[in-house]
Amino acid sequence: MAANVNETNDVTLTKPIRCIVKLGGAAITCKNELEKINEKNLEIVSSQLRQTMISSENVVSLDWSKRPGTSDISCNVDSFGDQLSFDANKFIVVHGAGSFGHFQASKSGVHKGGMDQPLVKAGFVATRISVTTLNLEIVRALARVWSFSFSSLLGRFSFLLCQPYNSSLSLEVDHSALTYHFVFLAEGIPSIGMSPFSCGWSTSGRNIASADLPAVAKAIESGFIPVLHGDAVFDDIQGCTILSGDVIIRHLAEHLKPEYVVFLTDVFGVYDRPPSEPDAVLLKEIAVSEDGRWSVIKPTLQDINKQVEITVAAHDTTGGMVTKISEAAMIAKLGIDVYIVKAATSHSLRALSGEVRSNVPDDWLGTVIRRTSR
Amino acid sequence: MAANVNETNDVTLTKPIRCIVKLGGAAITCKNELEKINEKNLEIVSSQLRQTMISSENVVSLDWSKRPGTSDISCNVDSFGDQLSFDANKFIVVHGAGSFGHFQASKSGVHKGGMDQPLVKAGFVATRISVTTLNLEIVRALARVWSFSFSSLLGRFSFLLCQPYNSSLSLEVDHSALTYHFVFLAEGIPSIGMSPFSCGWSTSGRNIASADLPAVAKAIESGFIPVLHGDAVFDDIQGCTILSGDVIIRHLAEHLKPEYVVFLTDVFGVYDRPPSEPDAVLLKEIAVSEDGRWSVIKPTLQDINKQVEITVAAHDTTGGMVTKISEAAMIAKLGIDVYIVKAATSHSLRALSGEVRSNVPDDWLGTVIRRTSR
């Protein structure tokens, strides 16, 4: 599929990339509410990523922008010593669109091409505005040191963490009529937004035709965490299309060879039928053979459909779970393990940290997709 | 200065670019208020750009994002016929940072380089977050069809323009205790954000070393209006630096040869001393010779200082007016006329439309910088 990609895309890294993480659109946005971020999930996901990426004790925010309701910037430059170890672990983050972009893309048919049609051209602009809005919010969320906030019916009180703090805690207590909500998180990931359209990604017949991988590698080598996303791009044949985050991940995995790939989603993994159905069985291990065919290894149930059923939301222009599984299988075929896991859970933290790599524990909920051992 | 730039950057366009427009940071942001957009100026500037770029009668918004306080998207796909003529005039928009980015950049010293220092690396992240936030807001402002809004102390009432409307009106009436504010504007520019860092712009010793101009040309050829901005970029020698919007414009002008360049700023043009001083004289015409030296042609006053005084705000890491004039002179040397004019005035509309090109009228306020006629 990627045969036409320019050979100059092959890049070398001084240290291999540890992990490529997909933040699924359904996990970080409220999928049924237009252009709404799932703030709680994004906070926890950011915190888990920080814990797995950065070992530094010195926690400082890298988002020095003004906060709503304040007139000043909270940035203490004196807190920067030589202790920060940004490049402890090399990661790439790719996110989906969820309730951003999909509406604009499907309404105008950007994925089907036809740039000479005014509606498609307008949809291209509208889609890019929507997905880059989400990208910026995610870059900010990753770069931010979360403030400690305490809210109850009596009011909301927040203050910025000044002391180094290296953990996260989020709890909610319902105490009779009063609800207390504590958020105590600390981030500071050196995230850099790299919008695929701007970064030279384009397709030909919906397959990737070009991608500026040296730019991604340069950002990583410089100690940054590139944050890419599903985007509207030019297509040599049909004019334009939607390049999904999943296809981007497969391309990055193929050329940058990460140790493993984690897909954070809104369900525990891949099921044999829609997970909303009562008898749905979580497929914990899927093996992919060299010819790309995949089979369920665990659990070994006789009544599992060979062809796993999937649900595709009507507005999901990039194919939803079908694309995800087939892209995951193509990554696994390269010898790179893929973990599909529910975002913002203890299971996602274990997958991100690499804890489940050598041996998948029985109490871990998620789907591992691996190449058949020969 | 640009000798090292890759030759493959030379691009051909089916139709020449009409104009490269600089939206000065001081004109579109509130320079003394942190990260605050000058909404009124941005609305008028967007409207003037629309009038000069698009001749279509059919006005539709290309920003289909949710508006604050609404749960739905205002997009009527039926309003798209074949009448839209997006590519009537080819423009490129480049904006400065104003009160976005400069604080983060100067506080950390990103312009001086040194990516091995944690503070510089953190400042790089913080600067990019701030300038890309502004870029997104400008792309949205250009793409938007402004709603008609009516606000008074009694409340605020807005509705989207449904009828084609091709003009702009903004007035404010203070009627005793009640203040009425009307905004009646219509845009719909197919703007595409192209962040220089992401688009492969980098420097070597602070001079441009690479820039993906074919990507800019491709966007223009496809009927879009690229929107670039001053950005934090990698530098081959010092690690990183700030690439100013003015330097970007000079590079674009050199390679894409627009018919003319307009700098929209917060004063009427270039003065012989700080424009705040009572005796300051507006320099209406400056001639640039082949060796790059420039002299004031109009007015022909004997007491004008040859060396024009300029004021540089302390937080302006890219050099303010000094950079602007020298970059403008380098563009003029190429035979491309440069107009420096106050944003959101009748003078800026006349400059953008090209009306003042053949003959600069006496009632036009602004500075023209031209190559010496031989």
Side-chain angles (χ1 to χ4, degrees), chain B residues 59-354:
Chain B
V59 173
V60 285
S61 174
L62 306 185
D63 177 9
W64 301 351
S65 294
K66 214 169 64 172
R67 295 276 168 279
T70 63
S71 62
D72 219 350
I73 278 179
S74 45
C75 157
N76 181 12
V77 293
D78 301 330
S79 62
F80 286 87
D82 301 322
Q83 306 96 314
L84 286 181
S85 52
F86 281 152
D87 42 8
N89 281 311
K90 296 185 192 299
F91 274 69
I92 300 176
V93 173
V94 181
H95 63 83
S99 59
F100 289 75
H102 276 308
F103 168 85
Q104 290 85 349
S106 61
K107 197 88 179 173
S108 58
V110 169
H111 55 296
K112 290 182 285 186
M115 286 275 268
D116 50 336
Q117 299 166 53
L119 177 60
V120 174
K121 197 173 276 181
F124 194 93
V125 171
T127 302
R128 293 214 70 244
I129 287 175
S130 189
V131 293
T132 54
T133 299
L134 177 62
N135 181 250
L136 183 58
E137 287 309 313
I138 290 172
V139 168
R140 295 187 101 116
L142 294 175
R144 196 174 299 156
V145 170
W146 295 96
S147 60
F148 172 78
S149 82
F150 165 83
S151 62
S152 75
L153 291 181
L154 300 174
R156 189 181 166 91
F157 313 95
S158 309
F159 55 89
L160 192 79
L161 271 175
C162 293
Q163 299 304 314
Y165 195 78
N166 204 9
S167 182
S168 72
L169 166 73
S170 180
L171 64 125
E172 202 153 341
V173 186
D174 196 337
H175 181 60
S176 72
L178 295 176
T179 298
Y180 301 92
H181 181 72
F182 297 87
V183 181
F184 204 175
L185 294 164
E187 321 288 337
I189 293 168
S191 50
I192 292 280
M194 298 190 81
S195 203
F197 172 86
S198 309
C199 287
W201 291 70
S202 70
T203 57
S204 182
R206 305 187 74 171
N207 298 320
I208 289 173
S210 72
D212 190 358
L213 295 186
V216 177
K218 176 80 200 284
I220 294 167
E221 287 288 294
S222 304
F224 296 111
I225 306 292
V227 184
L228 291 83
H229 59 89
D231 202 0
V233 297
F234 290 142
D235 185 284
D236 291 347
I237 295 169
Q238 65 178 44
C240 62
T241 193
I242 298 294
L243 177 62
S244 82
D246 294 326
V247 174
I248 290 171
I249 286 194
R250 197 247 305 151
H251 191 76
L252 291 172
E254 200 173 326
H255 292 269
L256 301 179
K257 304 271 189 295
E259 294 174 12
Y260 55 102
V261 170
V262 176
F263 284 84
L264 300 177
T265 184
D266 62 338
V267 287
F268 281 105
V270 179
Y271 288 80
D272 66 335
R273 70 201 79 181
S276 56
E277 289 185 17
D279 296 333
V281 176
L282 178 66
L283 310 179
K284 298 191 77 171
E285 196 171 339
I286 294 172
V288 181
S289 65
E290 275 187 78
D291 63 359
R293 290 174 173 270
W294 49 279
S295 53
V296 178
I297 299 291
K298 203 174 160 187
T300 44
L301 298 177
Q302 302 199 317
D303 57 353
I304 281 183
N305 298 316
K306 290 284 177 192
Q307 181 64 41
V308 172
E309 283 183 51
I310 38 77
T311 44
V312 181
H315 67 278
D316 192 337
T317 48
T318 54
M321 262 296 177
V322 185
T323 314
K324 197 182 307 304
I325 298 172
S326 68
E327 293 297 331
M330 291 187 72
I331 296 166
K333 237 180 74 180
L334 303 167
I336 300 163
D337 290 358
V338 178
Y339 302 86
I340 300 179
V341 62
K342 186 167 186 169
T345 61
S346 60
H347 309 290
S348 60
L349 182 58
R350 292 168 83 181
L352 288 168
S353 68

